[in-house]
Amino acid sequence: MILLRRTNWPIWALLVFGIPIALADLTWFRGCQCWYGAWENYKAATALGIVGFVAIRFVGAWVFKEQNNGWKYYLFLLGISPLVVEIVFFIAKLALPADLLVHP
């Protein structure tokens, strides 16, 4: 139990928010069977990358015994990660030539 008290970053909060967000990312970004499905799969990989980044950050806080409230910002980032991914990929889609847009 002493190992969990190295930091004030609650690991339970990561599990409570991280697992549902990861599952939501996997179900939200499901591509069709055409080549455009790869675009949706890239969205899913990016969203899961954000979940992984936040998890690594929590582990880093534990390793370095951080005592701050930064975990709240990372949980906020985790919560809005699907929206951030949608916005970033929408901006990227604007750069695609019109003949590559299968699903306009």
Side-chain angles (χ1 to χ4, degrees), residues 12-64:
W12 62 265
L14 176 64
L15 296 175
V16 166
F17 288 100
I19 292 172
I21 292 292
L23 293 175
D25 288 340
L26 287 175
T27 57
W28 185 343
F29 302 116
R30 291 177 81 181
C32 65
Q33 298 302 320
C34 62
W35 78 268
Y36 188 74
W39 183 260
E40 294 294 318
N41 292 335
Y42 289 139
K43 286 182 182 180
T46 304
L48 290 178
I50 294 173
V51 173
F53 168 74
V54 171
I56 289 172
R57 184 61 184 97
F58 267 75
V59 170
W62 179 81
V63 168
F64 295 109

Side-chain angles (χ1 to χ4, degrees), residues 64-78:
F64 295 109
K65 301 179 184 178
E66 293 184 25
Q67 300 293 328
N68 57 39
N69 290 327
W71 62 273
K72 294 175 185 176
Y73 301 111
Y74 283 97
L75 289 184
F76 178 72
L77 172 66
L78 191 63

